[in-house]
Amino acid sequence: MRLGFIGTGKIASSVITGICNSKISFEKILVSPRNRTIAQKLKRKFRKVSIAKNNQEIVNTCNWVFLAATPKVGKKIIPNLKFRSNQKVISFIATINLAQLKKAIGKKVKIVRAIPLPPISIRKGPVPIFPPNKKVRNFFNKLGTTVEIGNEKLSKNFWATSGMYASFYELLSTMSNWLVKRGIKRDKAQKYITSLFVALSEDSVMNSKKDLKYLVKDSQTPKGLNEQAVKQLRKAGFYRSLEKSLNSILKRLNKV
């Protein structure tokens, strides 16, 4: 099987890295030359990665084509590409819906939308896909945890939450910087904060069958430090602001 990536940004690079370090069987990965720096880096790192002359070469030679361009670039280039009816197209473009993709591609190809996140490079994290597809599900299960969604409107809620990972990193950065300002060396500050949140994430996964509100409650003691922090953040509107951001992202996705 030959895999092709149109668009060579952060997400495409993460997915390719995950694939090359996984047990997925493939013959070759062909990447577009648009981001020459990332493309060259992937080629040097993985022997099965090659750089295509152009995007049409990717479509001509690959069984599965991954659309990883930005929405603006995707809308411009996809209608000009000539796909084959026996191909599978997996789109990472959050703001181009299934109907728009079908119209742009023009051929009756199997199209699946997916939203992988950067941790897919280490084969971790959820990958929501729509519509459900057995082969695509099995593929991404080797790179993380596939979540199949049967309704495109509902899938947009997952797409919205995928827009929050940079905010998570900003939270880690803020806390690390706070420690640095108080005399802690940056390497130790970052090691502590990242290790802390890895542990909290793993604990939440282990307890994910429960309502998460119970973890919030169980992590607090009366008049303790965690109770103080939660109360102050609630009073400041921190969590309302988070929900407002999600609503704003969803509103943008619903315009598509």
Side-chain angles (χ1 to χ4, degrees), residues 113 130 149-159 250 253-254:
R113 298 182 65 203
F130 168 81
I149 307 164
N151 180 297
E152 187 168 28
K153 185 177 180 180
L154 290 178
S155 74
K156 291 180 180 181
N157 296 292
F158 289 88
W159 297 176
L250 183 60
L253 291 168
N254 282 333

Side-chain angles (χ1 to χ4, degrees), residues 33-149:
R34 181 174 176 83
N35 191 320
R36 178 69 57 176
T37 302
I38 294 178
Q40 289 285 2
K41 184 178 179 180
L42 290 167
K43 182 183 177 182
R44 286 194 300 268
K45 190 173 183 180
F46 304 112
R47 63 180 180 83
K48 287 188 177 182
V49 173
S50 298
I51 302 173
K53 293 178 182 177
N54 51 55
N55 290 325
Q56 188 59 54
E57 183 186 358
I58 294 172
V59 177
N60 290 346
T61 59
C62 294
N63 309 101
W64 286 24
V65 177
F66 296 81
L67 303 177
T70 63
K72 184 178 180 180
V73 173
K75 288 177 181 179
K76 181 179 179 181
I77 65 174
I78 294 171
N80 298 319
L81 297 172
K82 294 178 174 59
F83 290 84
R84 304 188 308 277
S85 58
N86 63 343
Q87 286 179 304
K88 196 177 295 292
V89 175
I90 297 93
S91 174
F92 298 159
I93 308 173
T95 55
I96 302 181
N97 65 32
L98 190 61
Q100 291 169 328
L101 286 168
K102 286 180 178 179
K103 184 178 179 181
I105 290 172
K107 284 282 181 76
K108 196 175 182 181
V109 301
K110 185 69 70 176
I111 305 172
V112 176
R113 298 182 65 203
I115 303 291
L117 299 174
I120 199 169
S121 65
I122 55 173
R123 304 188 304 285
K124 288 184 180 291
V127 184
I129 67 170
F130 168 81
N133 182 284
K134 184 178 180 180
K135 289 184 177 180
V136 176
R137 178 189 71 210
N138 292 339
F139 179 88
F140 281 117
N141 271 339
K142 294 174 183 176
L143 299 173
T145 305
T146 309
V147 180
E148 290 186 297
I149 307 164

Side-chain angles (χ1 to χ4, degrees), residues 183-200:
I184 309 296
K185 290 186 177 179
R186 182 164 296 279
D187 61 337
K188 285 185 170 57
Q190 293 193 170
K191 183 177 182 180
Y192 174 77
I193 294 299
T194 54
S195 296
L196 171 63
F197 277 82
V198 164
L200 292 173

